[in-house]
Amino acid sequence: MPYTHNKELTPHSKKLRKTMTSQERKLWYCFLKDYPVKFYRQRVIGNYIVDFYCSQAKLIIEADGYFHYDEKRIYYERERTEYLEKSGYKVLRITNGKIDEDFDDICRIIDLEVKKRIG
């Protein structure tokens, strides 16, 4: 499935780039921003905004806070992940706690996944 996006979500994605969580900022500024393979922040894919997106690896990284585990939100996230995976993307979910506690390990996991997907 080709890359598509809902242009109506673009203003909201721009706002989210300016209001990233501390964990998203850490992941972006301390690792993904200068990663050798290009990543984007708060990218619109279909009718969803993803936290981080690498087109070359078809990889999406989601930094999940506590609100992602609310019963209604779990259903939404499952549906969203299913759509993205059916569209050919790999969705890597990382809890904010993991970013805070095991940042170096998270960076290694992301690096391995990118290398695995682009060869």
Side-chain angles (χ1 to χ4, degrees), residues 62-92:
E62 288 294 314
D64 289 347
Y66 67 90
F67 62 90
H68 286 88
Y69 301 102
D70 170 84
E71 189 175 319
K72 290 178 184 176
R73 187 70 187 202
I74 289 172
Y75 175 78
Y76 169 81
E77 293 294 339
R78 188 177 301 131
E79 185 177 85
R80 178 177 183 263
T81 298
E82 189 176 297
Y83 167 83
L84 294 166
E85 289 178 346
K86 284 182 179 177
S87 299
Y89 302 100
K90 164 77 177 190
V91 179
L92 188 58

CSV table of all heavy atoms in Angstrom, one decimal, residues 62-92:
chain,number,residue,atom,x,y,z
A,62,GLU,N,6.5,4.2,18.4
A,62,GLU,CA,5.5,4.8,19.2
A,62,GLU,C,6.0,4.8,20.6
A,62,GLU,O,6.4,3.8,21.2
A,62,GLU,CB,4.2,4.0,19.2
A,62,GLU,CG,3.4,4.2,17.9
A,62,GLU,CD,2.9,5.6,17.6
A,62,GLU,OE1,2.3,6.2,18.5
A,62,GLU,OE2,3.1,6.1,16.5
A,63,ALA,N,6.1,6.0,21.2
A,63,ALA,CA,6.4,6.2,22.6
A,63,ALA,C,5.1,6.3,23.4
A,63,ALA,O,4.4,7.2,23.3
A,63,ALA,CB,7.2,7.5,22.8
A,64,ASP,N,4.9,5.2,24.2
A,64,ASP,CA,3.6,5.1,24.8
A,64,ASP,C,3.6,5.5,26.3
A,64,ASP,O,4.4,5.0,27.1
A,64,ASP,CB,3.1,3.6,24.8
A,64,ASP,CG,2.7,3.2,23.4
A,64,ASP,OD1,2.5,4.1,22.5
A,64,ASP,OD2,2.5,2.0,23.2
A,65,GLY,N,2.8,6.5,26.6
A,65,GLY,CA,2.6,6.9,28.0
A,65,GLY,C,1.5,6.1,28.7
A,65,GLY,O,0.9,5.2,28.1
A,66,TYR,N,1.2,6.4,29.9
A,66,TYR,CA,0.2,5.7,30.7
A,66,TYR,C,-1.2,5.7,30.1
A,66,TYR,O,-1.9,4.8,30.2
A,66,TYR,CB,0.2,6.2,32.2
A,66,TYR,CG,-0.4,7.6,32.2
A,66,TYR,CD1,-1.7,7.9,32.4
A,66,TYR,CD2,0.5,8.7,32.1
A,66,TYR,CE1,-2.2,9.1,32.4
A,66,TYR,CE2,0.0,10.0,32.2
A,66,TYR,CZ,-1.4,10.2,32.3
A,66,TYR,OH,-1.9,11.5,32.4
A,67,PHE,N,-1.5,6.8,29.4
A,67,PHE,CA,-2.9,6.9,28.9
A,67,PHE,C,-3.1,5.9,27.7
A,67,PHE,O,-4.3,5.7,27.3
A,67,PHE,CB,-3.2,8.4,28.4
A,67,PHE,CG,-2.2,8.8,27.3
A,67,PHE,CD1,-2.6,8.7,26.0
A,67,PHE,CD2,-1.1,9.5,27.7
A,67,PHE,CE1,-1.7,9.1,25.0
A,67,PHE,CE2,-0.2,9.9,26.7
A,67,PHE,CZ,-0.5,9.7,25.3
A,68,HIS,N,-2.1,5.3,27.2
A,68,HIS,CA,-2.2,4.4,26.1
A,68,HIS,C,-2.8,3.0,26.6
A,68,HIS,O,-3.2,2.2,25.8
A,68,HIS,CB,-0.9,4.1,25.4
A,68,HIS,CG,-0.4,5.2,24.5
A,68,HIS,ND1,0.3,6.2,25.0
A,68,HIS,CD2,-0.6,5.4,23.2
A,68,HIS,CE1,0.6,7.0,24.0
A,68,HIS,NE2,0.0,6.6,22.9
A,69,TYR,N,-2.9,2.9,27.9
A,69,TYR,CA,-3.3,1.6,28.5
A,69,TYR,C,-4.7,1.7,29.1
A,69,TYR,O,-5.2,0.8,29.8
A,69,TYR,CB,-2.3,1.2,29.5
A,69,TYR,CG,-0.9,1.0,28.8
A,69,TYR,CD1,0.1,2.0,29.0
A,69,TYR,CD2,-0.7,0.0,28.0
A,69,TYR,CE1,1.3,1.9,28.3
A,69,TYR,CE2,0.5,-0.2,27.3
A,69,TYR,CZ,1.5,0.8,27.5
A,69,TYR,OH,2.7,0.7,26.8
A,70,ASP,N,-5.4,2.8,28.9
A,70,ASP,CA,-6.8,2.9,29.2
A,70,ASP,C,-7.6,1.9,28.3
A,70,ASP,O,-7.2,1.7,27.2
A,70,ASP,CB,-7.3,4.3,28.9
A,70,ASP,CG,-8.8,4.5,29.0
A,70,ASP,OD1,-9.3,4.7,30.1
A,70,ASP,OD2,-9.4,4.5,28.0
A,71,GLU,N,-8.7,1.3,28.8
A,71,GLU,CA,-9.4,0.3,28.1
A,71,GLU,C,-9.8,0.7,26.7
A,71,GLU,O,-9.6,0.0,25.7
A,71,GLU,CB,-10.6,-0.2,28.9
A,71,GLU,CG,-11.3,-1.4,28.3
A,71,GLU,CD,-12.4,-1.9,29.2
A,71,GLU,OE1,-12.3,-1.9,30.4
A,71,GLU,OE2,-13.5,-2.3,28.6
A,72,LYS,N,-10.4,1.9,26.6
A,72,LYS,CA,-10.8,2.4,25.3
A,72,LYS,C,-9.6,2.7,24.4
A,72,LYS,O,-9.6,2.4,23.2
A,72,LYS,CB,-11.7,3.7,25.4
A,72,LYS,CG,-13.0,3.4,26.0
A,72,LYS,CD,-13.8,4.7,26.2
A,72,LYS,CE,-15.1,4.5,26.9
A,72,LYS,NZ,-15.8,5.7,27.2
A,73,ARG,N,-8.6,3.2,25.0
A,73,ARG,CA,-7.4,3.5,24.2
A,73,ARG,C,-6.7,2.3,23.7
A,73,ARG,O,-6.1,2.2,22.6
A,73,ARG,CB,-6.4,4.3,25.1
A,73,ARG,CG,-5.2,4.9,24.3
A,73,ARG,CD,-5.7,6.0,23.4
A,73,ARG,NE,-4.5,6.4,22.6
A,73,ARG,CZ,-4.4,7.5,21.9
A,73,ARG,NH1,-5.4,8.4,22.0
A,73,ARG,NH2,-3.4,7.8,21.2
A,74,ILE,N,-6.7,1.2,24.5
A,74,ILE,CA,-6.1,-0.1,24.1
A,74,ILE,C,-6.8,-0.6,22.8
A,74,ILE,O,-6.1,-1.0,21.8
A,74,ILE,CB,-6.2,-1.1,25.2
A,74,ILE,CG1,-5.2,-0.8,26.3
A,74,ILE,CG2,-5.9,-2.5,24.6
A,74,ILE,CD1,-5.4,-1.6,27.5
A,75,TYR,N,-8.1,-0.5,22.7
A,75,TYR,CA,-8.8,-0.9,21.5
A,75,TYR,C,-8.4,0.0,20.3
A,75,TYR,O,-8.1,-0.5,19.2
A,75,TYR,CB,-10.3,-0.8,21.7
A,75,TYR,CG,-11.1,-1.2,20.5
A,75,TYR,CD1,-11.3,-2.5,20.1
A,75,TYR,CD2,-11.7,-0.1,19.7
A,75,TYR,CE1,-12.0,-2.8,18.9
A,75,TYR,CE2,-12.4,-0.4,18.6
A,75,TYR,CZ,-12.5,-1.7,18.2
A,75,TYR,OH,-13.2,-2.0,17.0
A,76,TYR,N,-8.3,1.3,20.5
A,76,TYR,CA,-8.0,2.2,19.4
A,76,TYR,C,-6.5,1.9,19.0
A,76,TYR,O,-6.3,1.8,17.8
A,76,TYR,CB,-8.1,3.6,19.9
A,76,TYR,CG,-7.4,4.6,19.0
A,76,TYR,CD1,-8.1,5.1,17.9
A,76,TYR,CD2,-6.2,5.1,19.2
A,76,TYR,CE1,-7.6,6.0,17.0
A,76,TYR,CE2,-5.6,6.1,18.4
A,76,TYR,CZ,-6.3,6.5,17.3
A,76,TYR,OH,-5.7,7.4,16.4
A,77,GLU,N,-5.6,1.7,19.9
A,77,GLU,CA,-4.2,1.4,19.5
A,77,GLU,C,-4.1,0.1,18.8
A,77,GLU,O,-3.3,0.0,17.8
A,77,GLU,CB,-3.3,1.4,20.8
A,77,GLU,CG,-3.2,2.8,21.4
A,77,GLU,CD,-2.5,3.8,20.6
A,77,GLU,OE1,-1.8,3.5,19.6
A,77,GLU,OE2,-2.7,5.0,20.9
A,78,ARG,N,-4.9,-0.9,19.2
A,78,ARG,CA,-4.8,-2.2,18.5
A,78,ARG,C,-5.3,-2.0,17.1
A,78,ARG,O,-4.7,-2.5,16.1
A,78,ARG,CB,-5.7,-3.2,19.3
A,78,ARG,CG,-5.5,-4.6,18.7
A,78,ARG,CD,-6.3,-5.6,19.5
A,78,ARG,NE,-5.9,-5.6,20.9
A,78,ARG,CZ,-6.7,-5.6,22.0
A,78,ARG,NH1,-8.0,-5.5,21.8
A,78,ARG,NH2,-6.3,-5.6,23.2
A,79,GLU,N,-6.4,-1.3,16.9
A,79,GLU,CA,-7.0,-1.1,15.6
A,79,GLU,C,-6.0,-0.3,14.7
A,79,GLU,O,-5.8,-0.6,13.5
A,79,GLU,CB,-8.3,-0.3,15.7
A,79,GLU,CG,-9.1,-0.1,14.5
A,79,GLU,CD,-10.4,0.6,14.8
A,79,GLU,OE1,-10.4,1.9,14.9
A,79,GLU,OE2,-11.4,-0.1,15.0
A,80,ARG,N,-5.4,0.7,15.3
A,80,ARG,CA,-4.4,1.6,14.6
A,80,ARG,C,-3.2,0.8,14.1
A,80,ARG,O,-2.8,0.8,13.0
A,80,ARG,CB,-4.0,2.7,15.5
A,80,ARG,CG,-3.0,3.6,15.1
A,80,ARG,CD,-2.9,4.7,16.3
A,80,ARG,NE,-2.0,5.7,15.9
A,80,ARG,CZ,-0.8,5.8,16.3
A,80,ARG,NH1,-0.2,4.8,17.0
A,80,ARG,NH2,0.0,6.8,16.0
A,81,THR,N,-2.7,0.0,15.1
A,81,THR,CA,-1.5,-0.9,14.7
A,81,THR,C,-1.8,-1.9,13.6
A,81,THR,O,-1.0,-2.1,12.7
A,81,THR,CB,-1.0,-1.6,16.0
A,81,THR,OG1,-0.6,-0.6,17.0
A,81,THR,CG2,0.2,-2.5,15.7
A,82,GLU,N,-3.0,-2.5,13.7
A,82,GLU,CA,-3.4,-3.4,12.7
A,82,GLU,C,-3.5,-2.7,11.3
A,82,GLU,O,-3.0,-3.3,10.3
A,82,GLU,CB,-4.8,-4.0,13.0
A,82,GLU,CG,-5.2,-5.1,12.2
A,82,GLU,CD,-6.6,-5.7,12.7
A,82,GLU,OE1,-6.6,-6.2,13.8
A,82,GLU,OE2,-7.6,-5.6,11.9
A,83,TYR,N,-4.0,-1.5,11.2
A,83,TYR,CA,-4.1,-0.8,10.0
A,83,TYR,C,-2.7,-0.5,9.4
A,83,TYR,O,-2.4,-0.8,8.3
A,83,TYR,CB,-4.8,0.5,10.2
A,83,TYR,CG,-4.6,1.5,9.0
A,83,TYR,CD1,-5.4,1.3,7.8
A,83,TYR,CD2,-3.6,2.4,9.0
A,83,TYR,CE1,-5.2,2.2,6.7
A,83,TYR,CE2,-3.4,3.3,7.9
A,83,TYR,CZ,-4.2,3.1,6.8
A,83,TYR,OH,-4.0,3.9,5.7
A,84,LEU,N,-1.8,-0.1,10.3
A,84,LEU,CA,-0.4,0.3,9.9
A,84,LEU,C,0.4,-1.0,9.5
A,84,LEU,O,1.1,-0.9,8.5
A,84,LEU,CB,0.3,1.0,11.0
A,84,LEU,CG,-0.2,2.4,11.4
A,84,LEU,CD1,0.3,2.9,12.7
A,84,LEU,CD2,0.0,3.4,10.3
A,85,GLU,N,0.2,-2.1,10.2
A,85,GLU,CA,0.9,-3.3,9.8
A,85,GLU,C,0.4,-3.9,8.5
A,85,GLU,O,1.1,-4.4,7.7
A,85,GLU,CB,0.9,-4.3,10.9
A,85,GLU,CG,1.8,-3.8,12.1
A,85,GLU,CD,1.7,-4.8,13.3
A,85,GLU,OE1,0.9,-5.6,13.4
A,85,GLU,OE2,2.6,-4.6,14.1
A,86,LYS,N,-0.9,-3.8,8.3
A,86,LYS,CA,-1.5,-4.2,7.0
A,86,LYS,C,-1.0,-3.4,5.9
A,86,LYS,O,-1.0,-3.8,4.7
A,86,LYS,CB,-3.0,-4.2,7.1
A,86,LYS,CG,-3.6,-5.4,7.8
A,86,LYS,CD,-5.1,-5.4,7.8
A,86,LYS,CE,-5.7,-6.6,8.6
A,86,LYS,NZ,-7.2,-6.5,8.6
A,87,SER,N,-0.6,-2.1,6.2
A,87,SER,CA,-0.1,-1.2,5.2
A,87,SER,C,1.4,-1.4,4.9
A,87,SER,O,2.0,-0.7,4.1
A,87,SER,CB,-0.4,0.2,5.6
A,87,SER,OG,-1.8,0.4,5.7
A,88,GLY,N,2.0,-2.4,5.6
A,88,GLY,CA,3.4,-2.8,5.4
A,88,GLY,C,4.4,-2.2,6.3
A,88,GLY,O,5.6,-2.3,6.2
A,89,TYR,N,3.9,-1.5,7.4
A,89,TYR,CA,4.8,-0.9,8.4
A,89,TYR,C,5.0,-1.9,9.6
A,89,TYR,O,4.1,-2.6,9.9
A,89,TYR,CB,4.2,0.4,8.9
A,89,TYR,CG,4.0,1.4,7.8
A,89,TYR,CD1,2.7,1.6,7.3
A,89,TYR,CD2,5.0,2.1,7.3
A,89,TYR,CE1,2.5,2.5,6.2
A,89,TYR,CE2,4.8,3.0,6.2
A,89,TYR,CZ,3.6,3.2,5.7
A,89,TYR,OH,3.3,4.1,4.7
A,90,LYS,N,6.2,-1.8,10.2
A,90,LYS,CA,6.5,-2.4,11.4
A,90,LYS,C,6.3,-1.4,12.5
A,90,LYS,O,6.8,-0.3,12.4
A,90,LYS,CB,7.9,-3.0,11.4
A,90,LYS,CG,8.4,-3.3,12.8
A,90,LYS,CD,7.9,-4.6,13.2
A,90,LYS,CE,8.6,-5.0,14.6
A,90,LYS,NZ,8.3,-6.3,15.0
A,91,VAL,N,5.5,-1.7,13.5
A,91,VAL,CA,5.2,-0.7,14.6
A,91,VAL,C,6.0,-1.2,15.8
A,91,VAL,O,5.7,-2.3,16.3
A,91,VAL,CB,3.7,-0.6,14.9
A,91,VAL,CG1,3.5,0.4,16.1
A,91,VAL,CG2,2.9,-0.2,13.7
A,92,LEU,N,6.9,-0.4,16.3
A,92,LEU,CA,7.6,-0.7,17.5
A,92,LEU,C,7.1,0.2,18.6
A,92,LEU,O,7.3,1.4,18.6
A,92,LEU,CB,9.1,-0.4,17.2
A,92,LEU,CG,10.2,-0.8,18.2
A,92,LEU,CD1,10.1,-2.3,18.5
A,92,LEU,CD2,11.5,-0.5,17.7
